[in-house]
Amino acid sequence: MLRTGARVLDDGDREELLALCARDPVANVFVAGRVEAHGLDPRRVGGEVWGHGRPGSLEAACWSGANLVPVEAGEDALDSFAARARSQGRRCSSILGAAPAALGLWDRLSPSWGRAREVRERQPLLVLDGPAAVEPDPLVRRSLEEDLDVLVPACVAMFTEEVGYSPVAADGGRAYRARVGELVRAGRSFVRLDAGEGDELHPVLEPRAARRVAYKAELGAVSSTAVQVQGVFVDPRLRGLGLAAPGTAAVAALARERSRVAVSLYVNDFNTAAVAAYRRAGFREVGTLATVLF
C-alpha cells in the first residue's frame, strides 16, 4: 500500500486512531465515541474508518458511513480520502468536520459528485468545560420511554426544521422512533414537558400530566473525554421565553453527573438566536465546523 493511499482501519489500529482523535477531543468526539464503544469492525461500528499513513504512523483518518467525517486531515490525506470516496461513489448524506477539512474534501469530490443540496461553511464549535453561566432549568430531565409519544414528534419537527426534510421514511417512522428510543434508553435524551397549547406555561406541572415538549436535546456523540449536544429544540410557540440557555445548561449538568467531560455543540452561524443562547449559558467558541448536505 502506498503511503498516500487510504486504507481501511481495523481493531489493530484502535489505540493509534484514538490517540489521533485526542489531538482535538471536542472536534473529534463523534469518531472517538464510535470507536471507543464499538471498535473498528465495520459490522459493529456501522461504517468504515479510513486511515492515511502506514500502521504505526497514522497521520489522519476519515469516518465513512452515513456521513463522511475527516479527522486531523491535511491536504495529502484529503487527496487520498477523496480518491477512495470517488471510487465508491457517494454513499453518504453529508460531509461534516473541521471546516478546512470538510470543505477541502468537498472541493475534491464536487466535480464527480455534482451539486450539494446545501453547504454550511461556518458552524461555530462551542464548548462548556466548567459551570454554566446561568442556572440550569430544574424541569429538564432525562427522557423516559413513556415520553416517546410526545418526544418523537418534537424530534421530527426539529430534524425537519434543521435539515430540510422529514426523517420519517416509508415505514411510517418506525425506524426513526426506534432510534429516538435507543437514545432514551441510553440516557442520552433530555426533555422538559409543559402544558399543551391553550394553557399557560406551568412551572411545576407534573411530567406525567404534561402534553407538550417545551425543550428537548440529545447527546449525539459521547466519548470518554467529551460529549456533543445535538437536536436542541424549543417549541416554536415558546421561543423568546428564555428556555434555551437554562435548558442547555441543564443538559450539560446532567451529562457531567457521571464524568467531568467537556460538553460541546455546534450551531449554524446564521442562527443568531441560538448562538446568543449558548453564549449566555457559558459556551465558548473553540473552532469552526462545516457541513455539506446532499
Side-chain angles (χ1 to χ4, degrees):
M1 174 82 62
L2 293 177
R3 180 177 177 275
T4 55
R7 59 188 177 87
V8 178
L9 302 181
D10 60 28
D11 283 335
D13 300 294
R14 181 181 185 276
E15 295 308 315
E16 193 174 10
L17 175 57
L18 290 176
L20 183 74
C21 291
R23 294 181 186 176
D24 190 340
V26 171
N28 298 326
V29 60
F30 171 75
V31 174
R34 296 292 296 186
V35 173
E36 286 179 357
H38 303 290
L40 281 162
D41 185 328
R43 294 168 297 181
R44 297 194 310 268
V45 77
E48 294 181 340
V49 182
W50 305 334
H52 178 75
R54 296 182 183 278
S57 301
L58 187 65
E59 299 173 17
C62 184
W63 167 269
S64 175
N67 313 302
L68 279 182
V69 184
V71 176
E72 302 297 308
E75 298 297 319
D76 289 347
L78 292 174
D79 287 342
S80 64
F81 297 149
R84 189 173 191 100
R86 275 195 301 269
S87 71
Q88 294 182 345
R90 184 173 70 80
R91 301 178 179 179
C92 61
S93 60
S94 68
I95 300 172
L96 167 66
L103 297 175
L105 190 55
W106 175 233
D107 285 343
R108 290 162 171 80
L109 291 170
S110 57
S112 56
W113 279 13
R115 296 183 63 180
R117 183 167 57 86
E118 185 178 356
V119 179
R120 299 178 179 178
E121 295 186 352
R122 188 175 190 281
Q123 297 173 303
L125 177 63
L126 310 177
V127 68
L128 181 68
D129 45 15
V134 299
E135 190 68 24
D137 185 341
L139 296 183
V140 171
R141 57 170 173 79
R142 294 184 190 273
S143 304
L144 306 173
E145 288 201 60
E146 66 195 54
D147 300 324
L148 282 174
D149 285 345
V150 291
L151 180 60
V152 171
C155 292
V156 170
M158 181 275 156
F159 187 101
T160 305
E161 182 178 354
E162 175 68 17
V163 181
Y165 61 87
S166 172
V168 176
D171 66 355
R174 288 190 296 274
Y176 188 72
R177 182 185 176 97
R179 172 57 180 157
V180 174
E182 288 175 4
L183 292 171
V184 169
R185 288 186 291 276
R188 290 168 53 174
S189 172
F190 307 86
V191 69
R192 170 178 171 157
L193 297 181
D194 284 305
E197 187 174 7
D199 298 322
E200 293 183 1
L201 192 68
H202 199 307
V204 293
L205 193 68
E206 288 295 326
R208 292 178 185 273
R211 299 185 298 277
R212 171 174 60 190
V213 172
Y215 171 95
K216 71 92 185 168
E218 296 86 40
L219 300 183
V222 176
S223 78
S224 59
T225 55
V227 298
Q228 188 174 90
V229 180
Q230 294 180 356
V232 175
F233 175 80
V234 174
D235 186 302
R237 295 162 293 184
L238 303 177
R239 292 175 187 175
L241 299 181
L243 294 180
T248 307
V251 170
L254 290 166
R256 301 182 75 197
E257 279 182 334
R258 302 165 187 169
S259 177
R260 304 304 289 176
V261 293
V263 179
S264 70
L265 54 80
Y266 63 96
V267 58
N268 296 313
D269 63 342
F270 54 79
N271 191 346
T272 55
V275 172
Y278 300 141
R279 292 191 185 282
R280 191 160 59 250
F283 285 80
R284 60 185 178 87
E285 187 170 342
V286 294
T288 304
L289 304 187
T291 302
V292 181
L293 296 168
F294 303 109

